[in-house]
């Protein structure tokens, strides 16, 4: 189960009730940088990461890594491994990537499409008869492409009031949740869709984790294995990502990792590191900054998808029916499990954020796949204000990627 995301539930990622002490900070993006045509240094990364930390509330733990074609990676960190300790954040700390999982899932689905095991034009009803039905939901009108690019109009199961109550008010009792993806889809079917897609029309868009539950279920049927195994075999093993895994229902993070904390309504600090809530195809991958950089560079560099499928992934649509998403991330369009964000120096980069319980992930890769940066943030008391966090991490990414020769806008 994906944790409630502020983009979908406002303050609901354990913000309103589970986190009574949350006090969103205004964004403080790094200033004084004019990185275009300049070399980006470790000192600049530390400065930008300090701005990310302030935007995140000032007491969060942050880790960043920049990988480039030449030279050693740039790395910076601020914070400690556990509350009250003096141990610094491990450079290779593992964390749950949350919705960044969607890019892994979309990659597997596109690989299956390249092998003709499925078509992006197949309907959900074709693969999952009767699963998307009732209350105005119609799986016969929704394609696999709609699922991946968030144009299905399906209700986001995270927004269901009962799920919100369990996660916000009763997190500790539900941290070892094992609800199957199909049951979570059934929760979404209790609600009317936000809109009903029209054949061949992608003019309406709304972010929904339900889409990726269904995409994972279809991948399992087409690929003949669990979505976890498909990701492990087709992405993780293929790229040799030794610190990336799909733990499923195992609530523990591999060592080393940073503990995540939130403050409940009674003022108690709650360790939210161990949980199994994020075990489905919308959120279930665990990784590191180094491995995420490797994954995104391989994707953008054409090592995971044939040219046709990589073009499909990059074919983006405007975001229309999700004001929360647009408010928190004002710029950019959405492709198949991938966001496309403009750079101040021209061109653009690709990304997919991840926001879970106590952890926020911000990976980015240049359009040519040569440079990548990942920022990982772990909370100590309260989740960050996402609009502020996105401004600060966006400034960091812009500085990193604009310091190198920029990609062609037509890439």
């Amino acid at each position: 189960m994906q944790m409630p995301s502020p983009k979908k539930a406002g303050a609901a990622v354990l913000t309103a009730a589970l986190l009574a002490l949350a006090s969103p900070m205004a964004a403080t993006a790094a200033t004084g940088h004019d990185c275009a045509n300049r070399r980006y240094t470790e000192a600049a990364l530390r400065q930008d990461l300090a701005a990310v930390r302030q935007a995140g509330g000032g007491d969060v733990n942050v880790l960043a890594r920049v990988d480039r074609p030449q030279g050693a990676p740039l790395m910076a960190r601020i914070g400690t491994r556990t509350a009250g300790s003096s141990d610094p954040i491990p450079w290779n700390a593992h964390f749950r990537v949350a919705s960044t999982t969607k890019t892994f899932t979309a990659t597997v689905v596109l690989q299956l499409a390249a092998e003709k095991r499925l078509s992006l034009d197949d309907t959900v009803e074709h693969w999952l008869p009767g699963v998307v039905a009732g209350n105005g939901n119609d799986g016969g009108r929704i394609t696999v492409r709609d699922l991946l690019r968030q144009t299905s109009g399906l209700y986001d199961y995270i927004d269901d009031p009962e799920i919100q109550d369990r996660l916000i008010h009763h997190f500790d009792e539900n941290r070892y949740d094992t609800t199957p993806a199909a049951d979570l889809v059934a929760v979404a079917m209790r609600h009317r869709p936000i809109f009903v897609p029209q054949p061949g029309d992608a003019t309406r868009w709304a972010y929904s984790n339900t889409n990726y539950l269904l995409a994972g279920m279809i991948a399992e049927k087409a690929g003949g294995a669990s979505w976890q195994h498909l990701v492990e075999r087709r992405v993780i093993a293929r790229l040799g990502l030794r610190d990336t895994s799909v733990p499923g229902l195992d609530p523990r993070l591999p060592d080393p990792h940073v503990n995540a904390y939130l403050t409940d309504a009674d003022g108690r600090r709650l360790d939210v590191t161990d949980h199994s809530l994020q075990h489905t195809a919308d959120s279930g991958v665990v990784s590191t900054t180094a491995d995420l950089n490797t994954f995104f560079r391989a994707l953008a560099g054409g090592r995971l998808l044939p040219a046709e499928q990589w073009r499909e992934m990059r074919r983006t649509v405007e975001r229309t029916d999700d004001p929360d998403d647009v408010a928190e991330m004002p710029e950019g369009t959405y492709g198949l499990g991938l966001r496309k964000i403009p750079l101040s120096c021209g061109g653009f980069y690709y990304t997919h954020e991840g926001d879970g319980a106590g952890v926020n992930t911000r990976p980015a890769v240049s359009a040519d796949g040569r440079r990548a940066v990942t920022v990982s943030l772990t909370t100590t008391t309260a989740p960050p204000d996402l609009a502020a966090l996105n401004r600060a991490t966006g400034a960091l990414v812009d500085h990193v990627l604009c310091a190198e020769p920029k990609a062609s806008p037509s890439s």
Side-chain angles (χ1 to χ4, degrees):
M1 178 186 291
Q2 164 73 322
M3 292 301 299
S5 166
K7 77 163 66 67
K8 296 303 297 173
V13 145
L14 310 177
T15 309
L18 178 58
L19 313 174
L21 300 185
S23 178
M25 301 287 291
T28 311
T31 58
H33 285 274
D34 180 15
C35 290
N37 301 315
R38 282 179 44 191
R39 180 171 171 268
Y40 192 76
T41 64
E42 189 174 313
L45 179 60
R46 287 196 299 268
Q47 180 180 343
D48 281 343
L49 199 63
V52 169
R53 190 182 197 224
Q54 185 170 354
D59 59 354
V60 298
N61 299 312
V62 288
L63 174 66
R65 177 183 171 114
V66 176
D67 284 292
R68 303 162 295 178
Q70 290 89 29
L74 300 179
M75 296 185 288
R77 60 186 177 183
I78 307 172
T80 59
R81 182 169 180 170
T82 59
S85 79
S86 59
D87 296 334
I89 299 171
W91 291 117
N92 59 336
H94 296 80
F95 48 86
R96 292 183 174 87
V97 309
S99 281
T100 304
T101 298
K102 291 177 173 66
T103 310
F104 286 79
T105 300
T107 298
V108 166
V109 172
L110 285 163
Q111 288 174 345
L112 294 171
E115 296 163 12
K116 309 300 183 185
R117 297 195 184 195
L118 59 78
S119 168
L120 296 179
D121 295 317
D122 289 343
T123 66
V124 174
E125 181 67 17
H126 170 78
W127 284 101
L128 305 171
V131 171
V132 174
N135 293 313
N137 296 290
D138 184 355
R141 301 176 70 92
I142 298 169
T143 66
V144 174
R145 184 182 284 103
D146 286 323
L147 298 179
L148 297 184
R149 72 184 176 190
Q150 307 278 14
T151 54
S152 74
L154 293 173
Y155 183 88
D156 192 340
Y157 73 92
I158 286 295
D159 289 342
D160 179 78
E162 291 184 12
I163 289 182
Q164 288 281 304
D165 182 64
R166 291 205 308 267
L167 297 179
I168 295 174
H169 300 286
H170 306 284
F171 178 88
D172 221 10
E173 303 99 297
N174 292 283
R175 66 164 68 222
Y176 302 119
D177 183 272
T178 60
T179 306
D183 291 356
L184 296 173
V185 171
V187 170
M189 295 305 103
R190 299 174 193 163
H191 302 270
R192 295 192 62 80
I194 300 167
F195 58 83
V196 177
Q198 303 301 314
D201 181 7
T203 59
R204 302 190 69 179
W205 182 96
Y207 192 99
S208 174
N209 290 288
T210 307
N211 289 324
Y212 275 78
L213 300 183
L214 291 162
M217 292 164 66
I218 290 171
E220 290 178 344
K221 281 202 167 186
S226 69
W227 78 270
Q228 294 98 322
H229 180 73
L230 294 171
V231 168
E232 288 167 350
R233 177 166 57 87
R234 290 171 168 269
V235 178
I236 296 173
R238 184 170 176 176
L239 296 178
L241 304 179
R242 296 183 179 180
D243 291 315
T244 301
S245 61
V246 189
L249 298 178
D250 186 345
R252 296 163 298 181
L253 278 175
D255 281 326
H257 62 264
V258 178
N259 283 33
Y261 302 88
L262 294 170
T263 305
D264 67 17
D266 296 325
R268 298 173 303 168
R269 174 176 279 180
L270 182 66
D271 189 327
V272 297
T273 309
D274 291 345
H275 66 80
S276 57
L277 290 160
Q278 295 167 236
H279 64 262
T280 44
D282 57 338
S283 60
V285 169
V286 168
S287 193
T288 63
T289 55
D291 273 8
L292 284 182
N293 281 356
T294 299
F295 167 65
F296 277 96
R297 290 178 79 184
L299 184 63
R303 292 165 52 200
L304 286 171
L305 294 173
E308 179 182 349
Q309 281 67 40
W310 175 228
R311 282 193 298 271
E312 284 279 4
M313 196 175 212
R314 293 177 294 162
R315 189 170 293 139
T316 62
V317 295
E318 298 296 326
R319 297 171 293 143
T320 61
D321 288 69
D322 198 329
D324 289 337
D325 188 271
V326 174
E328 286 158 7
M329 194 171 290
E331 294 186 295
T333 52
Y334 199 94
L336 306 188
L338 205 65
R339 291 186 191 266
K340 180 178 175 181
I341 310 291
L343 286 165
S344 65
C345 55
F348 47 83
Y349 65 92
Y350 299 112
T351 182
H352 202 299
E353 76 293 344
D355 299 305
V359 181
N360 303 88
T361 304
R362 296 295 182 272
V365 65
S366 60
D368 59 9
R370 290 168 58 81
R371 292 144 291 137
V373 53
T374 295
V375 178
S376 174
L377 180 148
T378 307
T379 62
T380 60
T381 55
D385 173 74
L386 289 190
L389 177 65
N390 288 335
R391 285 193 293 271
T393 55
L396 185 154
V397 169
D398 200 83
H399 295 158
V400 168
L401 300 185
C402 282
E404 303 284 352
K406 59 182 179 291
S408 167
S410 61
S411 296

